[in-house]
């Protein structure tokens, strides 16, 4: 599969992760960090009855898609390496945890404090101001870098919506924090649901290599532009 972008240790594949992940080298990845499109509709080239067809994975089926993607990622991780994936809303945390394949072991549920609450019922509900991140490992996990961090991740505000280039974009400082805690300089980070490339940009900034996979070419183009910028966006 020809890369869409390949420069300075950062590689982007414009394609379906279900097609790209099986051709990547086993036990070549040092950190899995991703934000799966769980709970939303998205386009996929899932294989059905040995026939490759483009289809929309609907929100109700996205848990199975996330489970299948994580199962493909697990053999790519080296032993002892860490995995992080975002779990969308608080009511779906249990389901998201259940998506872990047998090769990955749940370690901790992290709470990202967004600093402000999102949309919702303004009169009858609490404002949702945090998001869960599932922290797991393959085999016996190696030590985290630096002093022991709290499971409450703050302050990592999302910033003004006018600066977003993707609807579920995460703050680069948060992603850099996770990368630096769970990998070393020169190691390889994998994001199979790359979006606008925040994981790759963060990896580049802290001296890691990275592979990102994104089915939407528009976001691949945005990610490539972000990687080319000297000033981080």
């Amino acid at each position: 599969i020809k890369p869409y972008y390949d420069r300075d240790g950062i590689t982007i594949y414009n394609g379906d992760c279900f097609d790209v992940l099986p051709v990547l080298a086993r036990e070549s990845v040092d950190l899995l960090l991703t934000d799966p499109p769980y709970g939303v509709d998205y386009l996929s080239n899932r294989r059905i009855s040995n026939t490759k067809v483009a289809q929309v994975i609907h929100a109700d089926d996205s848990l199975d898609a996330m489970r299948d993607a994580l199962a493909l990622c697990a053999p790519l991780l080296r032993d002892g390496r860490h995995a992080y994936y975002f779990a969308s809303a608080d009511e779906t945390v249990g389901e998201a945890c259940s998506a872990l394949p047998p090769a990955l072991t749940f370690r901790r549920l992290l709470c990202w404090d967004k600093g402000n609450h999102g949309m919702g019922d303004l009169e009858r509900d609490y404002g949702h101001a945090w998001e869960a991140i599932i922290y797991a490992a393959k085999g016996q996990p190696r030590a985290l870098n630096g002093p022991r961090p709290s499971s409450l991740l703050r302050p990592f505000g999302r910033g003004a919506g006018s600066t977003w280039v993707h609807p579920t974009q995460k703050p680069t400082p948060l992603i850099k924090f996770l990368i630096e805690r769970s990998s070393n300089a020169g190691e390889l980070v994998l994001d199979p649901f790359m979006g606008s490339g925040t994981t790759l940009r963060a990896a580049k900034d802290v001296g890691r290599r990275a592979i990102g996979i994104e089915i939407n070419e528009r976001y691949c183009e945005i990610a490539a532009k972000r990687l080319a910028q000297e000033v981080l966006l």
Side-chain angles (χ1 to χ4, degrees):
I1 298 178
K2 185 179 179 180
Y4 179 91
Y5 175 99
D6 191 8
R7 190 177 304 165
D8 301 324
I10 309 295
T11 304
I12 295 174
Y13 291 101
N14 176 209
D16 192 326
C17 71
F18 294 100
D19 296 326
V20 179
L21 290 171
V23 304
L24 299 181
R26 295 172 66 92
E27 298 187 353
S28 62
V29 172
D30 297 290
L31 173 62
L32 171 63
L33 202 169
T34 193
D35 183 15
Y38 176 45
V40 298
D41 294 349
Y42 67 101
L43 186 66
S44 177
N45 292 329
R46 299 295 301 279
R47 296 181 183 276
I48 301 177
S49 302
N50 297 319
T51 301
K52 183 178 178 182
V53 295
Q55 65 166 343
V56 173
I57 301 296
H58 294 288
D60 291 344
D61 302 317
S62 60
L63 176 62
D64 289 336
M66 180 168 66
R67 182 180 290 113
D68 293 346
L70 292 173
L72 290 174
C73 289
L76 306 180
L77 271 176
R78 300 181 194 273
D79 191 53
R81 300 316 198 246
H82 305 160
Y84 298 93
Y85 61 99
F86 288 78
S88 187
D90 48 357
E91 63 269 19
T92 60
V93 169
E95 293 179 349
C97 287
S98 74
L100 274 172
L104 299 181
T105 303
F106 174 85
R107 298 293 302 178
R108 186 74 66 190
L109 188 67
L110 308 182
C111 175
W112 164 39
D113 180 1
K114 295 182 177 182
N116 52 49
H117 58 76
M119 302 294 289
D121 190 327
L122 301 181
E123 297 180 348
R124 290 173 290 273
D125 212 346
Y126 291 87
H128 184 61
W130 67 280
E131 192 164 331
I133 306 171
I134 294 163
Y135 164 51
K138 184 175 181 179
Q140 181 64 31
R142 63 180 182 178
L144 292 163
N145 295 326
R148 187 186 188 193
S150 168
S151 61
L152 177 59
L153 304 179
R154 64 180 359 167
F156 294 106
R158 194 176 176 195
S162 61
T163 66
W164 305 344
V165 291
H166 189 278
T168 60
Q169 185 171 326
K170 301 302 184 287
T172 304
L174 170 63
I175 302 303
K176 287 170 67 172
F177 175 85
L178 297 174
I179 291 174
E180 290 185 305
R181 280 291 183 268
S182 287
S183 68
N184 301 318
E187 291 189 334
L188 181 62
V189 181
L190 171 65
D191 186 349
F193 298 102
M194 180 193 76
S196 62
T198 300
T199 298
L200 274 61
R201 178 72 237 199
K204 179 180 179 179
D205 288 345
V206 296
R208 273 61 165 175
R209 297 176 295 123
I211 293 175
I213 306 169
E214 172 57 42
I215 198 167
N216 189 319
E217 186 175 1
R218 173 173 171 266
Y219 288 128
C220 290
E221 181 180 0
I222 290 173
K225 289 179 178 178
R226 294 180 74 190
L227 289 165
Q229 292 170 343
E230 294 298 327
V231 178
L232 174 64
L233 292 178

